[in-house]
Amino acid sequence: MITDLVQIQRLGEKKLKENELFRRHMKAHYFPERQFRHVAEEIEDKIDCRACANCCKVAETNISERDVEKLARFLRITPKQFIAEYTTMSVQEEEEEELILRRTDAGCIFLDGNDCSIYEARPDTCSNFPHLIRGAGSIQSRMWQMIDRATYCPIVYNSLEKYKEIVGFKAPKS
Ligand code: SF4
Ligand code: SF4
């Protein structure tokens, strides 16, 4: 299993095209979900997310109205104050504006070293990250997000490699 973040980035980027083909393969076939969840659970158990924290450093964090209310209560401020102080809008290509947590040069505004300073009240997307074990819809339907995540998250990178073995996916020779 690869956990070194430099290697994960290099290999994840090298496999962008392969992983896109794998995503299409997953979409075009039916595979029982349980095996994929089981693999991701096993890999997650072997990885120390507190030592990694790479998702908090590199990825934007979308937040819902429910997250805003929960976090405002946790910080003892109003939802309006929370939005003004801790959020901004993200404009992603071909997508609508979305409310995200503000970021600093080090990553998420709530990242303190490798720790989340609002851990008990963190947004749902953070609790469910990287969305291979927990998340809305099937793993197949969430695969499009995994191609990018495989460039920075060891759980995703290693899970995708194992999924390919399970379903017998071979990358076409280039
Ligand atoms: S809220 Fe906490 S868990 Fe979520 S991205 Fe920020 S630091 Fe990480
Ligand atoms: S979810 Fe992935 S990127 Fe985030 S801390 Fe865990 S291993 Fe690292």
Side-chain angles (χ1 to χ4, degrees):
M1 190 166 68
I2 302 170
T3 54
D4 177 72
L5 294 174
V6 175
Q7 259 188 295
I8 293 286
Q9 184 179 3
R10 185 177 60 77
L11 290 168
E13 284 175 0
K14 195 172 155 204
K15 291 184 185 212
L16 282 173
K17 196 169 160 216
E18 175 182 321
N19 285 342
E20 172 55 26
L21 292 172
F22 179 57
R23 181 191 74 81
R24 288 190 212 167
H25 182 81
M26 291 271 280
K27 203 174 167 204
H29 298 81
Y30 169 75
F31 300 109
E33 281 266 314
R34 197 181 302 163
Q35 55 188 343
F36 298 127
R37 199 163 288 126
H38 185 65
V39 163
E41 274 166 355
E42 279 190 346
I43 291 172
E44 192 176 283
D45 281 351
K46 290 181 191 137
I47 289 179
D48 181 2
C49 280
R50 285 191 65 185
C52 171
N54 207 30
C55 45
C56 307
K57 291 172 191 162
V58 306
E60 290 184 345
T61 309
N62 291 355
I63 51 169
S64 65
E65 232 172 272
R66 192 166 153 256
D67 292 321
V68 170
E69 281 165 23
K70 183 171 65 169
L71 281 159
R73 246 192 335 269
F74 183 78
L75 296 169
R76 298 175 191 273
I77 55 178
T78 65
K80 210 171 156 187
Q81 281 173 310
F82 179 83
I83 288 173
E85 279 181 45
Y86 296 108
T87 73
T88 184
M89 297 306 284
S90 151
V91 187
Q92 288 162 2
E93 266 178 59
E94 296 172 24
E95 284 181 29
E96 286 181 14
E97 283 194 329
E98 289 184 324
L99 196 63
I100 58 167
L101 291 180
R102 272 187 200 275
R103 302 181 58 73
T104 67
D105 290 344
C108 172
I109 192 165
F110 291 117
L111 190 64
D112 179 9
N114 263 12
D115 290 336
C116 173
S117 61
I118 50 144
Y119 188 78
E120 300 90 327
R122 68 199 188 286
D124 286 347
T125 189
C126 304
S127 317
N128 294 336
F129 204 84
H131 301 256
L132 282 176
I133 300 166
R134 302 162 291 273
S138 65
I139 288 180
Q140 277 96 328
S141 72
R142 298 196 295 275
M143 276 300 288
W144 65 273
Q145 299 169 304
M146 301 306 160
I147 297 167
D148 178 51
R149 285 179 195 165
T151 66
Y152 65 84
C153 173
I155 295 173
V156 175
Y157 177 84
N158 289 289
S159 296
L160 293 197
E161 292 309 296
K162 193 73 191 166
Y163 293 174
K164 289 174 198 170
E165 267 175 54
I166 293 174
V167 306
F169 174 82
K170 296 259 182 294
K173 290 200 174 72
S174 50

